[in-house]
């Protein structure tokens, strides 16, 4: 209703809505007390002129409608983030939630340790030791709600005037986090083994942000020789650090996972980031950071650590999920699910060898596809989009434009059902070979 417009009498409103007169009077009284309407003696109620109120305009409504139609237009989305349908372990999570809430008492609702509760930090330390070869003390671990928070925290510790080397292309969420924190970002090239060490040396960076277990988006796994060269770079000068983002090391389809870079660090120069969002669900905002002892001491010496951003309830549920073997069983189940999808993708892409090549198939839940039939990245994305299929161009993840842009797209398969993968890939084959 517009300002100055007269409202119906409470008697008439009650009659039209088939409600009691007292309910209508109470509603008008509330609007009157909050200043949305005014009462004019012998005339009735009128809408007040209130500056700054938001009005849902026709233009806004049309824009929202267009966005909904655009989102709904995709028949298949090769999304790079998300989990398989039915992938979340709901039964186990529900069981542990009830157990925690019934047994923990009032202490569960008090403010806890700013670095995370001792139980979850101990459980994460044990998991990292057995699964990733990282030998750390629980006191070196900080629990946080997502890597965004942990990167912010890290720059409180390191200081904001850092020169960060990042592979190009790279994980854009971390890139924008670091930009917003005031860091200077130095794009460094990469080859089939990961970040180029010679370029890193010449860049003048004092910190390198890398994903050695499965680089995003290019998908390569950094071999041991390059890892040792990277560690040597960090150890050659004081105050140099490596941020190791080990975001999806749980999913590997060929051979045994290479231990995390942090597992080979003897000088305290690797800062390790891990998350449960990729393996459990994007909405499970629980990540962890393993700091070298010197940096943890520096953080604690500040005197007023930030409060932990994950509730004690969620920390306790996740602790039991790890300790009682649920996480290991969940990973085994999801590895099998993703392995079936992975094998189907590989088989279908091999049938498209006259159109494209693919790589990054040893780990993770996405593949890199490169065209050799003259198709450009833009045209490949556009053709797919017109057919209701969402694929992702690699150029979207570049932080510095390349001199020569390769025609490459990314295909994530975690969120699609196997039958949809086959239909979508057959459609892409038809679209891309002409």
């Amino acid at each position: 209703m517009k300002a100055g417009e007269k409202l119906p009498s409470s008697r008439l409103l009650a009659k039209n809505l088939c409600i009691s007169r007292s309910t209508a009077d109470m509603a008008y009284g509330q609007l009157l007390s909050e200043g949305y309407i005014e009462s004019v003696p012998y005339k009735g109620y009128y809408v007040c002129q209130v500056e700054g109120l938001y009005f849902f305009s026709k233009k806004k409504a049309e824009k929202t409608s267009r966005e909904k139609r655009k989102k709904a237009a995709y028949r298949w989305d090769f999304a790079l983030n998300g989990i398989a349908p039915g992938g979340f372990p709901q039964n186990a999570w529900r069981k542990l939630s009830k157990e925690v809430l019934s047994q923990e008492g009032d202490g569960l609702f008090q403010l806890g340790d700013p670095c995370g509760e001792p139980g979850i930090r101990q459980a994460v330390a044990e998991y990292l030791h057995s699964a990733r070869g990282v030998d750390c003390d629980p006191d070196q671990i900080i629990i946080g709600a997502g890597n965004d928070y942990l990167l912010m925290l890290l720059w409180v510790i390191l200081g904001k005037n850092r020169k960060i080397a990042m592979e190009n292309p790279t994980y854009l969420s971390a890139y924008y986090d670091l930009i917003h924190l005031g860091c200077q970002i130095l794009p460094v090239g990469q080859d089939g083994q990961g970040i180029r060490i010679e370029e890193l040396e010449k860049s003048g960076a004092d910190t390198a942000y890398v994903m050695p277990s499965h680089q995003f988006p290019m998908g390569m796994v950094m071999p041991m020789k390059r890892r040792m060269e990277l560690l040597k770079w960090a150890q050659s000068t004081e105050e140099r650090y490596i941020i190791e983002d080990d975001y999806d090391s749980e999913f590997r389809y060929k051979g045994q996972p290479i231990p995390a870079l942090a597992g080979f660090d003897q000088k305290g120069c690797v800062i390790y980031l891990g998350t449960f969002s990729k393996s459990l669900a994007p909405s499970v905002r629980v990540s962890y950071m393993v700091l070298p002892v010197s940096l943890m001491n520096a953080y604690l010496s500040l005197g007023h650590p930030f409060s932990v951003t994950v509730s004690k309830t969620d920390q306790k549920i996740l602790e039991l999920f790890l300790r009682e073997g649920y996480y290991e069983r969940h990973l085994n189940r999801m590895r099998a699910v993703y392995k079936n999808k992975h094998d189907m993708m590989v088989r279908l892409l091999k049938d498209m060898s006259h159109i494209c090549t693919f790589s990054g198939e040893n780990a993770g839940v996405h593949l890199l596809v490169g065209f050799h039939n003259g198709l450009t990245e833009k045209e490949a994305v556009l053709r797919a989009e017109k057919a209701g299929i969402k694929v992702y161009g690699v150029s979207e993840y570049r932080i510095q434009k390349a001199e020569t842009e390769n025609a490459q797209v990314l295909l994530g398969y975690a969120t699609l059902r196997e039958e949809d993968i086959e239909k979508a890939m057959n459609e892409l084959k038809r679209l891309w070979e002409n």
Side-chain angles (χ1 to χ4, degrees), residues 201 227-237 240 242:
E201 286 279 8
R227 293 177 186 229
M228 294 301 104
E229 292 171 349
L230 184 57
L231 276 174
K232 184 178 178 181
W233 167 83
Q235 294 169 356
S236 63
T237 304
R240 272 187 182 175
I242 299 166

Side-chain angles (χ1 to χ4, degrees), residues 238-266:
E238 291 292 325
E239 298 295 313
R240 272 187 182 175
Y241 293 101
I242 299 166
I243 302 172
E244 179 182 12
D245 188 345
D246 207 20
Y247 69 101
D248 73 349
S249 60
E250 292 87 3
F251 304 118
R252 186 174 174 85
Y253 312 112
K254 185 178 180 181
Q256 293 298 313
I258 299 176
L261 188 65
F264 300 97
D265 178 26
Q266 300 296 318

Side-chain angles (χ1 to χ4, degrees), residues 301-335:
S301 69
L302 296 175
H304 296 281
F306 287 86
S307 295
V308 68
T309 50
V310 180
S311 73
K312 289 175 74 173
T313 305
D314 289 336
Q315 290 184 61
K316 189 63 182 180
I317 293 169
L318 191 51
E319 176 195 339
L320 296 178
F321 196 76
L322 287 164
R323 287 195 182 282
E324 297 183 10
Y326 290 104
Y327 188 54
E328 184 178 357
R329 291 193 290 275
H330 169 72
L331 289 180
N332 289 337
R333 180 171 70 91
M334 297 313 297
R335 284 190 192 106

Side-chain angles (χ1 to χ4, degrees), residues 348 350-355 373 383 389 423-434:
L348 293 168
K350 285 180 177 178
D351 290 340
M352 298 167 62
S353 60
H354 59 294
I355 302 170
N373 65 338
R383 287 187 188 182
I389 306 173
K423 291 176 184 177
M425 290 301 294
N426 287 333
E427 181 72 2
L428 287 177
K429 180 181 179 181
R430 183 186 67 79
L431 294 167
W432 288 343
E433 66 184 351
N434 296 331

Side-chain angles (χ1 to χ4, degrees), residues 274-294:
T275 182
F276 293 102
S277 298
K278 196 74 175 178
S279 56
L280 285 173
S283 62
V284 178
R285 305 301 297 160
V286 183
S287 296
Y288 48 90
M289 176 167 63
V290 182
L291 289 173
V293 173
S294 59

